[in-house]
Amino acid sequence: MSNSLRVGIAGLGTVGTSLVHLLQDKSDLLADRCGRPLVITGVTARSKEKERGLSLDGVTWFDDPLALATDDNSDVFVELIGGDGEPAYGAVKAALESGKHVVTANKALLAKHGVELAEIAESKGLLLNYESAVAGGIPIIKVMRESLTANTVTRISGILNGTCNYILTRMEDEGMSFEDCLKDAQDLGFAEADPTFDIEGNDTAHKLAILTSLAFGTAIAPDAIYLEGITRISIEDIEAAKDLGYRIKLLGIATKTASGVESRVHPAMVPLGSAIAEIGGVTNAVSVEADTVGSLMMSGPGAGGDATASAVAGDLCDIAKSRPGHQHGPALGQPAQSLMPHERAPMRSHEGGYFIRLTVKDQPGTMAAIATRMAEQSISLESIVQRRARGELESEQAPIILITHETTEQSIREALKGVREDGCLFGEPQMIRIESLG
Ligand code: HSE
């Protein structure tokens, strides 16, 4: 049809396959809602031979993503390849430079090159849409880019990685091992091609970097994020958290402070019964604190083919509904050239409560030595308890759990350095920050 929106799709993995099904199965509904049909004209993927259960009759196959990106027979380039380098970067740039709108689910690419790509899109009057890049099916980009324009945001935070939340939930609910939970998340299509990006927190950091830019009008700065993943979280931590009235979640948090933006990704203890603690499985949640609207929180599926394809299709529909000559809104919510430099607040000045789990020598004076090191740093303890040792500890070893009142990261690090120097510690201390969000 002459007025159709012609779509080229690069990448036919979990999301690409779901997107093709969605655009084909709901073609009439989408055409009605957009006022014109969305037609897939070209696709490219690593392997042409792979059986995907797709019907691609009449769709041109491209071996080279760059050729699809610059193909005259499409209006939009959908990038579902992933990764911050080639071929995704070159293909997206080429698509924009050749006058095509772009829809991408690629948070790693946007975290690294988002400002440059936004500038190109703006200079050409094109849309660069990326709803699916952050929190899967949750429409948080639209909210940040459009709905909250009149607000000054003070904090944006949330559970931004479905794989990690799925792993932590099943470890707690079913006592499953970390490895088995990760394997299931991979089988369900939640995890990244390289799952270390999920479990080491990089994926959350990429998403937080994008949200931080939208929230504070600053350049995207993925390297300014303090980063810890969930690989050091053990069943002991999860059980101790529960006993103390907390649940462990991998959070991404960006807060405006007097000394800049404090951006961090790390496991955190959240109070049982709080809204964020109730977000289980692959579900994500994003909360925003802002001056005019107050606090809001959105939750929904954060990964998986259909949820992510839903967001990609929504982005395509926005493009289908726009008209040539219409001035499109800037990709990062404001003109890319007007973004402020990102000023990073140092992590050592972070203030909050802390959970600390130590394995120590089970002998007289150990508790007193630990308490002394805490007191030296003016850290006030809410509780200090010796827990019953689990099977794998030697008889002279004892697990100690401390919960502190609000203090600074600098003080905690100094106190733990002192405990280490006292020579009563086995292994590395576990330190998990306590958060109360929303
Ligand atoms: N691997 C990601 C996750 C996919 O688990 O959340 C969605 O970005």
Side-chain angles (χ1 to χ4, degrees):
M1 235 178 280
S2 59
N3 73 335
S4 60
L5 182 78
R6 300 167 305 165
V7 179
I9 301 175
L12 293 176
T14 307
V15 179
T17 303
S18 290
L19 179 66
V20 172
H21 281 302
L22 180 59
L23 296 183
Q24 291 175 341
D25 296 349
K26 293 197 170 174
S27 59
D28 290 345
L29 176 142
L30 292 169
D32 285 348
R33 291 189 176 167
C34 297
R36 56 179 176 146
L38 276 61
V39 178
I40 304 170
T41 50
V43 293
T44 179
R46 256 203 302 261
S47 159
K48 188 176 181 183
E49 281 68 43
K50 187 176 169 188
E51 184 43 58
R52 300 179 172 90
L54 295 175
S55 150
L56 292 171
D57 298 343
V59 176
T60 308
W61 178 274
F62 288 80
D63 287 325
D64 178 7
L66 209 59
L68 174 61
T70 53
D71 176 36
D72 287 341
N73 198 32
S74 61
D75 306 304
V76 189
F77 180 67
V78 180
E79 187 272 302
L80 304 173
I81 301 168
D84 64 13
E86 300 303 341
Y89 172 57
V92 166
K93 205 167 160 180
L96 291 170
E97 280 167 349
S98 67
K100 283 185 214 324
H101 303 289
V102 167
V103 174
T104 178
N106 190 340
K107 51 265 167 163
L109 177 73
L110 291 166
K112 188 163 179 187
H113 300 291
V115 175
E116 180 200 4
L117 296 172
E119 276 176 2
I120 300 172
E122 278 168 48
S123 71
K124 299 264 183 189
L126 296 165
L127 281 168
L128 169 60
N129 284 351
Y130 52 92
E131 188 62 75
S132 55
V134 178
I138 304 176
I140 186 65
I141 301 300
K142 219 176 231 309
V143 167
M144 297 306 295
R145 204 156 72 163
E146 299 168 26
S147 319
L148 298 184
T149 304
N151 283 264
T152 299
V153 176
T154 46
R155 179 159 71 168
I156 186 153
S157 60
I159 295 171
L160 301 174
N161 183 270
T163 300
C164 287
N165 207 47
Y166 176 87
I167 292 172
L168 292 171
T169 304
R170 292 200 73 191
M171 281 174 77
E172 179 183 339
D173 290 352
E174 299 166 49
M176 280 173 68
S177 74
F178 186 96
E179 290 73 24
D180 287 347
C181 296
L182 174 59
K183 169 87 179 48
D184 282 358
Q186 287 176 289
D187 291 346
L188 288 163
F190 300 156
E192 296 302 297
D194 177 356
T196 55
F197 274 68
D198 295 294
I199 60 181
E200 297 292 1
N202 309 79
D203 179 75
T204 301
H206 292 148
K207 293 164 180 169
L208 185 66
I210 296 166
L211 291 179
T212 303
S213 170
L214 290 167
F216 304 126
T218 48
I220 305 176
D223 298 334
I225 296 175
Y226 173 83
L227 185 60
E228 262 178 47
I230 62 166
T231 49
R232 287 194 67 234
I233 298 296
S234 64
I235 290 280
E236 285 91 328
D237 296 320
I238 289 173
E239 284 176 357
K242 206 170 179 177
D243 291 351
L244 294 160
Y246 295 101
R247 180 163 287 142
I248 300 176
K249 295 289 179 192
L250 182 74
L251 299 181
I253 304 173
T255 313
K256 207 172 211 171
T257 75
S259 52
V261 177
E262 183 189 279
S263 290
R264 48 202 171 94
V265 170
H266 54 73
M269 298 268 183
V270 296
L272 284 174
S274 62
I276 198 83
E278 297 305 314
I279 304 297
V282 72
T283 307
N284 282 191
V286 189
S287 57
V288 185
E289 285 160 42
D291 59 349
T292 310
V293 72
S295 297
L296 61 87
M297 180 165 150
M298 298 171 77
S299 63
D306 286 349
T308 312
S310 159
V312 175
D315 278 350
L316 282 170
C317 290
D318 278 352
I319 294 169
K321 290 174 193 167
S322 71
R323 288 285 173 265
H326 172 79
Q327 185 57 47
H328 301 299
L332 295 173
Q334 65 183 69
Q337 292 200 336
S338 74
L339 294 168
M340 304 289 289
H342 179 101
E343 278 181 37
R344 179 181 189 170
M347 191 59 192
R348 63 177 181 279
S349 59
H350 168 70
E351 292 179 10
Y354 288 77
F355 161 100
I356 295 161
R357 180 170 61 78
L358 309 168
T359 303
V360 297
K361 279 188 189 151
D362 195 4
Q363 65 186 19
T366 298
M367 282 280 206
I370 296 167
T372 301
R373 289 299 188 177
M374 295 289 151
E376 280 169 6
Q377 298 299 324
S378 306
I379 297 170
S380 165
L381 295 176
E382 184 181 303
S383 72
I384 176 166
V385 287
Q386 180 167 341
R387 285 172 68 85
R388 190 174 308 136
R390 285 169 65 99
E392 62 269 25
L393 291 188
E394 305 294 330
S395 58
E396 78 275 17
Q397 297 180 340
I400 304 275
I401 306 275
L402 294 93
I403 299 282
T404 77
H405 286 297
E406 187 154 310
T407 180
T408 64
E409 180 98 2
Q410 171 84 354
S411 305
I412 287 288
R413 290 186 182 278
E414 286 298 323
L416 291 178
K417 191 165 151 244
V419 172
R420 249 187 234 108
E421 283 166 9
D422 290 339
C424 54
L425 207 55
F426 294 97
E428 274 302 296
Q430 174 66 293
M431 182 261 273
I432 303 177
R433 297 163 191 88
I434 298 173
E435 297 291 334
S436 53
L437 296 176

